[in-house]
mmCIF file of all heavy atoms in Angstrom:
data_model
loop_
_atom_site.group_PDB
_atom_site.id
_atom_site.type_symbol
_atom_site.label_atom_id
_atom_site.label_comp_id
_atom_site.label_asym_id
_atom_site.label_seq_id
_atom_site.Cartn_x
_atom_site.Cartn_y
_atom_site.Cartn_z
ATOM 1 N N PRO A 230 147.208 218.165 92.284
ATOM 2 C CA PRO A 230 147.864 217.381 93.259
ATOM 3 C C PRO A 230 146.830 216.657 94.189
ATOM 4 O O PRO A 230 145.761 217.170 94.283
ATOM 5 C CB PRO A 230 148.688 218.453 94.098
ATOM 6 C CG PRO A 230 148.095 219.703 93.847
ATOM 7 C CD PRO A 230 147.518 219.520 92.422
ATOM 8 N N ALA A 231 147.237 215.582 94.630
ATOM 9 C CA ALA A 231 146.236 214.828 95.502
ATOM 10 C C ALA A 231 146.344 215.154 96.947
ATOM 11 O O ALA A 231 145.411 214.815 97.741
ATOM 12 C CB ALA A 231 146.729 213.252 95.444
ATOM 13 N N GLU A 232 147.277 215.926 97.453
ATOM 14 C CA GLU A 232 147.418 216.304 98.835
ATOM 15 C C GLU A 232 147.318 217.830 98.981
ATOM 16 O O GLU A 232 147.802 218.503 98.102
ATOM 17 C CB GLU A 232 148.599 215.746 99.380
ATOM 18 C CG GLU A 232 148.819 214.302 99.469
ATOM 19 C CD GLU A 232 147.842 213.658 100.449
ATOM 20 O OE1 GLU A 232 147.574 214.324 101.428
ATOM 21 O OE2 GLU A 232 147.354 212.649 100.102
ATOM 22 N N ILE A 233 146.680 218.172 99.970
ATOM 23 C CA ILE A 233 146.518 219.612 100.338
ATOM 24 C C ILE A 233 147.841 220.098 101.025
ATOM 25 O O ILE A 233 148.335 219.308 101.793
ATOM 26 C CB ILE A 233 145.334 219.926 101.346
ATOM 27 C CG1 ILE A 233 144.989 221.404 101.481
ATOM 28 C CG2 ILE A 233 145.473 219.255 102.609
ATOM 29 C CD1 ILE A 233 143.723 221.677 102.136
ATOM 30 N N PRO A 234 148.239 221.264 100.663
ATOM 31 C CA PRO A 234 149.543 221.717 101.346
ATOM 32 C C PRO A 234 149.208 222.006 102.688
ATOM 33 O O PRO A 234 148.081 222.507 103.058
ATOM 34 C CB PRO A 234 149.834 223.021 100.512
ATOM 35 C CG PRO A 234 148.627 223.441 99.752
ATOM 36 C CD PRO A 234 147.783 222.220 99.619
ATOM 37 N N ASP A 235 150.237 221.839 103.717
ATOM 38 C CA ASP A 235 150.088 222.072 105.001
ATOM 39 C C ASP A 235 150.126 223.636 105.268
ATOM 40 O O ASP A 235 150.979 224.328 104.740
ATOM 41 C CB ASP A 235 151.265 221.519 105.790
ATOM 42 C CG ASP A 235 151.117 219.986 105.948
ATOM 43 O OD1 ASP A 235 149.929 219.499 105.911
ATOM 44 O OD2 ASP A 235 152.106 219.277 105.958
ATOM 45 N N VAL A 236 149.150 224.205 106.111
ATOM 46 C CA VAL A 236 149.007 225.480 106.345
ATOM 47 C C VAL A 236 148.961 225.622 107.880
ATOM 48 O O VAL A 236 147.812 225.231 108.477
ATOM 49 C CB VAL A 236 147.849 226.206 105.709
ATOM 50 C CG1 VAL A 236 147.731 227.696 106.101
ATOM 51 C CG2 VAL A 236 147.832 226.016 104.219
ATOM 52 N N PRO A 237 150.053 226.008 108.533
ATOM 53 C CA PRO A 237 149.868 226.058 110.013
ATOM 54 C C PRO A 237 148.926 227.053 110.586
ATOM 55 O O PRO A 237 148.836 228.110 109.907
ATOM 56 C CB PRO A 237 151.408 226.427 110.364
ATOM 57 C CG PRO A 237 151.963 227.060 109.270
ATOM 58 C CD PRO A 237 151.282 226.488 108.084
ATOM 59 N N ASP A 238 148.326 226.801 111.624
ATOM 60 C CA ASP A 238 147.395 227.707 112.272
ATOM 61 C C ASP A 238 147.744 227.840 113.732
ATOM 62 O O ASP A 238 147.533 226.949 114.586
ATOM 63 C CB ASP A 238 145.972 227.062 112.166
ATOM 64 C CG ASP A 238 144.964 228.138 112.669
ATOM 65 O OD1 ASP A 238 145.262 229.285 113.079
ATOM 66 O OD2 ASP A 238 143.751 227.743 112.679
ATOM 67 N N GLY A 239 148.564 228.961 114.044
ATOM 68 C CA GLY A 239 149.099 229.089 115.383
ATOM 69 C C GLY A 239 148.103 229.417 116.474
ATOM 70 O O GLY A 239 148.432 229.158 117.715
ATOM 71 N N GLU A 240 146.768 229.687 116.119
ATOM 72 C CA GLU A 240 145.803 230.235 117.166
ATOM 73 C C GLU A 240 145.208 228.971 117.765
ATOM 74 O O GLU A 240 144.902 228.863 118.893
ATOM 75 C CB GLU A 240 144.815 231.065 116.491
ATOM 76 C CG GLU A 240 145.300 232.422 116.069
ATOM 77 C CD GLU A 240 145.509 233.381 117.107
ATOM 78 O OE1 GLU A 240 144.680 233.379 117.972
ATOM 79 O OE2 GLU A 240 146.515 234.163 117.040
ATOM 80 N N ALA A 241 144.915 227.849 116.985
ATOM 81 C CA ALA A 241 144.023 226.877 117.405
ATOM 82 C C ALA A 241 145.006 225.776 118.154
ATOM 83 O O ALA A 241 146.134 225.813 118.018
ATOM 84 C CB ALA A 241 143.365 226.090 116.237
ATOM 85 N N GLY A 242 144.240 224.959 119.059
ATOM 86 C CA GLY A 242 144.947 223.939 119.697
ATOM 87 C C GLY A 242 145.252 222.776 118.757
ATOM 88 O O GLY A 242 144.861 222.893 117.711
ATOM 89 N N ILE A 243 146.124 221.832 119.354
ATOM 90 C CA ILE A 243 146.473 220.790 118.361
ATOM 91 C C ILE A 243 145.366 219.932 117.910
ATOM 92 O O ILE A 243 145.277 219.597 116.736
ATOM 93 C CB ILE A 243 147.473 219.844 119.326
ATOM 94 C CG1 ILE A 243 148.748 220.699 119.503
ATOM 95 C CG2 ILE A 243 147.794 218.591 118.480
ATOM 96 C CD1 ILE A 243 149.784 219.920 120.552
ATOM 97 N N LEU A 244 144.466 219.712 118.708
ATOM 98 C CA LEU A 244 143.202 218.909 118.296
ATOM 99 C C LEU A 244 142.435 219.688 117.309
ATOM 100 O O LEU A 244 142.140 219.073 116.155
ATOM 101 C CB LEU A 244 142.325 218.556 119.404
ATOM 102 C CG LEU A 244 141.107 217.653 119.151
ATOM 103 C CD1 LEU A 244 141.506 216.354 118.454
ATOM 104 C CD2 LEU A 244 140.142 217.485 120.389
ATOM 105 N N GLU A 245 142.219 220.955 117.562
ATOM 106 C CA GLU A 245 141.502 221.772 116.529
ATOM 107 C C GLU A 245 142.220 221.820 115.194
ATOM 108 O O GLU A 245 141.719 221.817 114.056
ATOM 109 C CB GLU A 245 141.174 223.189 117.051
ATOM 110 C CG GLU A 245 140.079 223.217 118.148
ATOM 111 C CD GLU A 245 140.725 222.993 119.576
ATOM 112 O OE1 GLU A 245 141.943 222.827 119.651
ATOM 113 O OE2 GLU A 245 139.868 222.753 120.487
ATOM 114 N N GLN A 246 143.503 221.900 115.214
ATOM 115 C CA GLN A 246 144.380 221.974 114.098
ATOM 116 C C GLN A 246 144.338 220.618 113.277
ATOM 117 O O GLN A 246 144.147 220.626 112.113
ATOM 118 C CB GLN A 246 145.849 222.274 114.424
ATOM 119 C CG GLN A 246 146.232 223.642 114.826
ATOM 120 C CD GLN A 246 147.678 223.766 115.110
ATOM 121 O OE1 GLN A 246 148.548 222.855 114.762
ATOM 122 N NE2 GLN A 246 148.128 224.805 115.728
ATOM 123 N N PHE A 247 144.290 219.595 114.050
ATOM 124 C CA PHE A 247 144.146 218.362 113.284
ATOM 125 C C PHE A 247 142.785 218.104 112.690
ATOM 126 O O PHE A 247 142.706 217.745 111.573
ATOM 127 C CB PHE A 247 144.450 217.108 114.350
ATOM 128 C CG PHE A 247 144.240 215.879 113.766
ATOM 129 C CD1 PHE A 247 145.160 215.225 112.948
ATOM 130 C CD2 PHE A 247 143.067 215.031 113.950
ATOM 131 C CE1 PHE A 247 145.059 213.980 112.400
ATOM 132 C CE2 PHE A 247 142.927 213.817 113.411
ATOM 133 C CZ PHE A 247 143.893 213.283 112.622
ATOM 134 N N ILE A 248 141.755 218.502 113.338
ATOM 135 C CA ILE A 248 140.316 218.275 112.807
ATOM 136 C C ILE A 248 140.254 219.288 111.600
ATOM 137 O O ILE A 248 139.804 218.820 110.476
ATOM 138 C CB ILE A 248 139.352 218.690 113.942
ATOM 139 C CG1 ILE A 248 139.327 217.585 115.001
ATOM 140 C CG2 ILE A 248 137.971 218.854 113.275
ATOM 141 C CD1 ILE A 248 138.520 217.939 116.220
ATOM 142 N N LYS A 249 140.719 220.424 111.635
ATOM 143 C CA LYS A 249 140.591 221.419 110.564
ATOM 144 C C LYS A 249 141.504 220.959 109.371
ATOM 145 O O LYS A 249 140.954 221.008 108.321
ATOM 146 C CB LYS A 249 141.124 222.799 110.919
ATOM 147 C CG LYS A 249 140.918 223.901 109.941
ATOM 148 C CD LYS A 249 141.269 225.192 110.411
ATOM 149 C CE LYS A 249 141.121 226.237 109.393
ATOM 150 N NZ LYS A 249 141.372 227.592 109.755
ATOM 151 N N LYS A 250 142.594 220.380 109.653
ATOM 152 C CA LYS A 250 143.476 219.832 108.600
ATOM 153 C C LYS A 250 142.691 218.782 107.919
ATOM 154 O O LYS A 250 142.870 218.623 106.692
ATOM 155 C CB LYS A 250 144.792 219.454 109.264
ATOM 156 C CG LYS A 250 145.836 218.985 108.164
ATOM 157 C CD LYS A 250 147.173 218.633 108.767
ATOM 158 C CE LYS A 250 148.013 218.164 107.681
ATOM 159 N NZ LYS A 250 149.305 217.744 108.223
ATOM 160 N N GLU A 251 142.227 217.819 108.651
ATOM 161 C CA GLU A 251 141.596 216.640 108.036
ATOM 162 C C GLU A 251 140.282 217.066 107.308
ATOM 163 O O GLU A 251 140.025 216.562 106.201
ATOM 164 C CB GLU A 251 141.162 215.542 109.172
ATOM 165 C CG GLU A 251 142.271 214.853 109.654
ATOM 166 C CD GLU A 251 143.036 214.101 108.501
ATOM 167 O OE1 GLU A 251 142.370 213.374 107.729
ATOM 168 O OE2 GLU A 251 144.227 214.272 108.367
ATOM 169 N N GLN A 252 139.513 218.030 107.772
ATOM 170 C CA GLN A 252 138.344 218.583 107.148
ATOM 171 C C GLN A 252 138.861 219.247 105.740
ATOM 172 O O GLN A 252 138.253 218.998 104.683
ATOM 173 C CB GLN A 252 137.594 219.638 107.882
ATOM 174 C CG GLN A 252 136.937 218.972 108.979
ATOM 175 C CD GLN A 252 136.304 220.019 109.956
ATOM 176 O OE1 GLN A 252 136.773 221.260 110.105
ATOM 177 N NE2 GLN A 252 135.216 219.606 110.716
ATOM 178 N N ASN A 253 139.921 219.972 105.794
ATOM 179 C CA ASN A 253 140.320 220.584 104.596
ATOM 180 C C ASN A 253 140.863 219.628 103.560
ATOM 181 O O ASN A 253 140.713 219.686 102.428
ATOM 182 C CB ASN A 253 141.606 221.548 104.923
ATOM 183 C CG ASN A 253 141.044 222.825 105.539
ATOM 184 O OD1 ASN A 253 139.867 223.207 105.546
ATOM 185 N ND2 ASN A 253 141.932 223.605 106.140
ATOM 186 N N ARG A 254 141.588 218.586 104.131
ATOM 187 C CA ARG A 254 142.123 217.483 103.290
ATOM 188 C C ARG A 254 140.903 216.729 102.622
ATOM 189 O O ARG A 254 140.957 216.550 101.335
ATOM 190 C CB ARG A 254 142.871 216.432 104.046
ATOM 191 C CG ARG A 254 143.644 215.448 103.213
ATOM 192 C CD ARG A 254 144.467 214.455 104.137
ATOM 193 N NE ARG A 254 145.212 215.057 105.096
ATOM 194 C CZ ARG A 254 146.375 215.587 104.970
ATOM 195 N NH1 ARG A 254 146.925 215.673 103.803
ATOM 196 N NH2 ARG A 254 147.084 216.109 106.023
ATOM 197 N N MET A 255 139.900 216.504 103.311
ATOM 198 C CA MET A 255 138.784 215.833 102.623
ATOM 199 C C MET A 255 138.021 216.662 101.659
ATOM 200 O O MET A 255 137.734 216.231 100.538
ATOM 201 C CB MET A 255 137.635 215.314 103.710
ATOM 202 C CG MET A 255 138.162 214.285 104.639
ATOM 203 S SD MET A 255 136.929 213.947 106.025
ATOM 204 C CE MET A 255 136.297 212.492 105.331
ATOM 205 N N LEU A 256 137.897 217.877 102.016
ATOM 206 C CA LEU A 256 137.383 218.920 100.907
ATOM 207 C C LEU A 256 138.142 218.944 99.763
ATOM 208 O O LEU A 256 137.719 218.995 98.627
ATOM 209 C CB LEU A 256 137.120 220.280 101.595
ATOM 210 C CG LEU A 256 136.618 221.402 100.683
ATOM 211 C CD1 LEU A 256 135.291 220.962 100.125
ATOM 212 C CD2 LEU A 256 136.534 222.675 101.326
ATOM 213 N N TYR A 257 139.597 219.053 100.015
ATOM 214 C CA TYR A 257 140.392 219.219 98.864
ATOM 215 C C TYR A 257 140.395 218.009 97.945
ATOM 216 O O TYR A 257 140.399 218.027 96.700
ATOM 217 C CB TYR A 257 141.876 219.480 99.342
ATOM 218 C CG TYR A 257 142.803 219.900 98.437
ATOM 219 C CD1 TYR A 257 142.926 221.162 97.994
ATOM 220 C CD2 TYR A 257 143.752 218.878 97.924
ATOM 221 C CE1 TYR A 257 143.878 221.543 97.004
ATOM 222 C CE2 TYR A 257 144.699 219.261 96.947
ATOM 223 C CZ TYR A 257 144.772 220.639 96.568
ATOM 224 O OH TYR A 257 145.646 221.013 95.595
ATOM 225 N N ARG A 258 140.310 216.717 98.631
ATOM 226 C CA ARG A 258 140.253 215.609 97.795
ATOM 227 C C ARG A 258 138.950 215.522 96.913
ATOM 228 O O ARG A 258 139.029 215.095 95.814
ATOM 229 C CB ARG A 258 140.344 214.299 98.753
ATOM 230 C CG ARG A 258 141.864 214.122 99.188
ATOM 231 C CD ARG A 258 141.989 212.805 99.975
ATOM 232 N NE ARG A 258 143.225 212.638 100.426
ATOM 233 C CZ ARG A 258 143.632 212.005 101.499
ATOM 234 N NH1 ARG A 258 142.611 211.600 102.293
ATOM 235 N NH2 ARG A 258 144.814 211.869 101.810
ATOM 236 N N ALA A 259 137.920 215.900 97.674
ATOM 237 C CA ALA A 259 136.557 215.926 96.985
ATOM 238 C C ALA A 259 136.631 216.818 95.815
ATOM 239 O O ALA A 259 136.098 216.615 94.757
ATOM 240 C CB ALA A 259 135.461 216.250 98.027
ATOM 241 N N MET A 260 137.213 218.085 96.007
ATOM 242 C CA MET A 260 137.216 218.996 94.931
ATOM 243 C C MET A 260 138.038 218.499 93.764
ATOM 244 O O MET A 260 137.735 218.748 92.631
ATOM 245 C CB MET A 260 137.751 220.444 95.531
ATOM 246 C CG MET A 260 136.515 220.985 96.235
ATOM 247 S SD MET A 260 136.706 222.820 96.384
ATOM 248 C CE MET A 260 136.857 223.389 94.846
ATOM 249 N N ALA A 261 139.108 217.831 94.118
ATOM 250 C CA ALA A 261 140.036 217.356 93.085
ATOM 251 C C ALA A 261 139.376 216.256 92.207
ATOM 252 O O ALA A 261 139.677 216.071 90.972
ATOM 253 C CB ALA A 261 141.282 216.733 93.721
ATOM 254 N N ARG A 262 138.310 215.740 92.682
ATOM 255 C CA ARG A 262 137.455 214.784 91.974
ATOM 256 C C ARG A 262 136.546 215.361 90.947
ATOM 257 O O ARG A 262 136.084 214.746 90.003
ATOM 258 C CB ARG A 262 136.727 213.810 92.838
ATOM 259 C CG ARG A 262 137.647 212.904 93.721
ATOM 260 C CD ARG A 262 136.853 212.050 94.677
ATOM 261 N NE ARG A 262 136.082 211.047 94.136
ATOM 262 C CZ ARG A 262 135.157 210.380 94.910
ATOM 263 N NH1 ARG A 262 135.298 210.443 96.175
ATOM 264 N NH2 ARG A 262 134.344 209.510 94.354
ATOM 265 N N LEU A 263 136.284 216.680 91.203
ATOM 266 C CA LEU A 263 135.340 217.337 90.174
ATOM 267 C C LEU A 263 135.975 217.589 88.912
ATOM 268 O O LEU A 263 137.244 217.855 88.812
ATOM 269 C CB LEU A 263 134.891 218.718 90.899
ATOM 270 C CG LEU A 263 134.097 218.677 92.145
ATOM 271 C CD1 LEU A 263 134.004 220.049 92.669
ATOM 272 C CD2 LEU A 263 132.732 218.129 91.801
ATOM 273 N N PRO A 264 135.144 217.642 87.793
ATOM 274 C CA PRO A 264 135.737 218.132 86.599
ATOM 275 C C PRO A 264 136.260 219.541 86.719
ATOM 276 O O PRO A 264 135.811 220.346 87.500
ATOM 277 C CB PRO A 264 134.501 218.023 85.637
ATOM 278 C CG PRO A 264 133.432 217.206 86.271
ATOM 279 C CD PRO A 264 133.735 217.361 87.763
ATOM 280 N N SER A 265 137.258 219.887 85.965
ATOM 281 C CA SER A 265 137.938 220.940 86.017
ATOM 282 C C SER A 265 137.168 222.258 85.949
ATOM 283 O O SER A 265 137.333 223.312 86.809
ATOM 284 C CB SER A 265 139.199 221.120 85.093
ATOM 285 O OG SER A 265 138.662 221.166 83.734
ATOM 286 N N ARG A 266 136.220 222.386 85.136
ATOM 287 C CA ARG A 266 135.352 223.441 85.052
ATOM 288 C C ARG A 266 134.445 223.710 86.272
ATOM 289 O O ARG A 266 134.447 224.775 86.733
ATOM 290 C CB ARG A 266 134.404 223.326 83.748
ATOM 291 C CG ARG A 266 133.348 224.377 83.532
ATOM 292 C CD ARG A 266 133.872 225.796 83.229
ATOM 293 N NE ARG A 266 134.849 226.060 82.147
ATOM 294 C CZ ARG A 266 134.490 226.582 80.940
ATOM 295 N NH1 ARG A 266 133.351 227.197 80.862
ATOM 296 N NH2 ARG A 266 135.413 226.651 80.012
ATOM 297 N N LYS A 267 133.932 222.718 86.697
ATOM 298 C CA LYS A 267 133.096 222.782 88.018
ATOM 299 C C LYS A 267 133.987 223.136 89.145
ATOM 300 O O LYS A 267 133.654 224.045 90.052
ATOM 301 C CB LYS A 267 132.422 221.513 88.350
ATOM 302 C CG LYS A 267 131.255 221.224 87.271
ATOM 303 C CD LYS A 267 130.675 219.765 87.577
ATOM 304 C CE LYS A 267 129.525 219.545 86.531
ATOM 305 N NZ LYS A 267 128.944 218.260 86.770
ATOM 306 N N ARG A 268 135.209 222.610 89.315
ATOM 307 C CA ARG A 268 136.017 222.869 90.399
ATOM 308 C C ARG A 268 136.550 224.262 90.298
ATOM 309 O O ARG A 268 136.483 225.016 91.330
ATOM 310 C CB ARG A 268 137.359 222.004 90.327
ATOM 311 C CG ARG A 268 138.414 222.256 91.339
ATOM 312 C CD ARG A 268 139.520 221.389 91.334
ATOM 313 N NE ARG A 268 140.286 221.313 90.018
ATOM 314 C CZ ARG A 268 140.436 220.350 89.213
ATOM 315 N NH1 ARG A 268 139.873 219.115 89.434
ATOM 316 N NH2 ARG A 268 141.089 220.444 88.136
#
């Protein structure tokens, strides 16, 4: 899949949640570009 599933984080503030979600999304997208064996 091209999108990372949403995982709520009740401890962090809204800004921290957004930043973490965006970082995870970027990492997930980058990992999706790797060949399957490397991923």
Side-chain angles (χ1 to χ4, degrees):
E232 293 296 320
I233 187 168
D235 290 331
V236 180
D238 185 3
E240 298 281 321
I243 293 172
L244 181 59
E245 287 85 7
Q246 285 181 14
F247 177 76
I248 292 169
K249 185 175 181 177
K250 184 177 176 181
E251 284 305 305
Q252 288 172 336
N253 288 342
R254 187 180 315 278
M255 291 178 105
L256 177 61
Y257 192 79
R258 284 184 181 149
M260 285 201 54
R262 293 171 67 185
L263 291 173
S265 62
R266 176 61 59 110
K267 290 178 182 176
R268 181 176 58 241

